[in-house]
Amino acid sequence: MEAPPVSVLPITGGTINMMEYLLQGSVLDQALESLLHRLRGLCDNMEPETFADHELVYLLKGQQGNPFLLRARRSLSHPTVPWHLRYLGQPEVGDKSRHVLVRNCVDVAASHSLPDFLNEMGFRMDHEFVAKGHIFRKGVLKVVVSKLSRILVPGNTENTEPLSLSYLVELSVLAPAGQDTMSEDMRSFAEQLKPLVHLEKIDPKRHM
């Protein structure tokens, strides 16, 4: 059986192959409003963008080594917009002089047949979740504050429960390779969010 056709387009313009510079942290539910108030004062958009997304994580297991992982995400609040397909490379965490996590990022927009296409290509869905929250921007910096919820019935995004009593906070920049000055800008911005939230360079492998 042939895989259903799927169309993809670059998200970032110019090139779809970028580096993601990332710091992460969390804030308890009761401290959320204080953090949002601080971000409104620091960022370009006083009123943040809001989002509600459904993300599916797909794995393709090979003969050896780690499985190949792709992330497919769709908007629940704007169901007609294209899906997003993301590949995130292994983080470059060995360089102690870097204050942020750096990893390759390929991000494309895809048509709504994306899940069927991935299944036909041999990928299998590993897990899915719903993310709802706010997006702030400060120049090229992006701050995402999101509540993650597990899906209790596969495919039913209305039947969820929160994964924790906190919000995930991510400070990131997408830029071509070699833009290491970004890390200083990010560290400076992260300092302004203390003590409400402590954003750190986190190695995902240590939390698996």
Side-chain angles (χ1 to χ4, degrees):
M1 180 178 177
E2 293 186 359
V6 63
S7 56
V8 296
L9 291 170
I11 294 293
T12 51
T15 177
I16 60 173
N17 194 356
M18 306 283 276
M19 303 301 290
E20 181 183 52
Y21 299 77
L22 179 69
L23 290 173
Q24 294 173 300
S26 63
V27 61
L28 292 173
D29 290 353
Q30 58 264 35
L32 174 65
E33 287 305 318
S34 296
L35 175 62
L36 295 181
H37 181 73
R38 176 74 61 86
L39 288 169
R40 287 187 183 100
L42 292 174
C43 294
D44 300 331
N45 55 330
M46 287 187 62
E47 286 307 315
E49 307 165 37
T50 59
F51 69 92
D53 290 348
H54 174 209
E55 182 161 312
L56 303 93
V57 180
Y58 287 87
L59 297 178
L60 180 64
K61 296 182 179 179
Q63 297 292 330
Q64 54 188 357
N66 295 325
F68 190 76
L69 186 147
L70 291 175
R71 297 176 177 272
R73 180 176 283 220
R74 67 184 179 103
S75 172
L76 297 175
S77 49
H78 302 283
T80 59
V81 303
W83 283 62
H84 277 234
L85 179 65
R86 292 190 98 200
Y87 165 75
L88 297 172
Q90 293 298 318
E92 301 174 6
V93 293
D95 189 348
K96 301 298 183 184
S97 64
R98 278 182 172 160
H99 305 295
V100 303
L101 182 143
V102 182
R103 58 188 177 185
N104 183 255
C105 176
V106 179
D107 196 346
V108 297
S111 56
H112 288 224
S113 57
L114 179 60
D116 292 335
F117 175 80
L118 291 173
N119 284 326
E120 290 297 333
M121 292 295 292
F123 284 87
R124 292 294 175 261
M125 192 185 71
D126 183 66
H127 61 278
E128 58 182 332
F129 60 90
V130 169
K132 296 181 179 181
H134 312 272
I135 301 174
F136 290 88
R137 301 182 190 276
K138 174 72 171 177
V140 296
L141 303 180
K142 181 170 79 169
V143 184
V144 179
V145 182
S146 57
K147 168 70 75 172
L148 303 183
S149 299
R150 65 169 56 90
I151 293 177
L152 301 177
V153 178
N156 184 354
T157 56
E158 299 295 324
N159 193 353
T160 65
E161 68 174 14
L163 284 170
S164 69
L165 298 176
S166 61
Y167 280 76
L168 174 66
V169 184
E170 296 179 299
L171 171 62
S172 66
V173 175
L174 277 180
Q179 303 291 316
D180 287 348
T181 55
M182 295 292 181
S183 63
E184 288 301 324
D185 295 338
M186 293 174 66
R187 186 170 70 157
S188 174
F189 187 87
E191 286 294 324
Q192 298 179 71
L193 296 180
K194 293 179 179 178
L196 291 172
V197 61
H198 292 264
L199 298 177
E200 301 175 307
K201 173 184 177 179
I202 297 175
D203 182 356
K205 288 184 178 179
R206 296 177 60 184
H207 297 270
M208 294 178 66

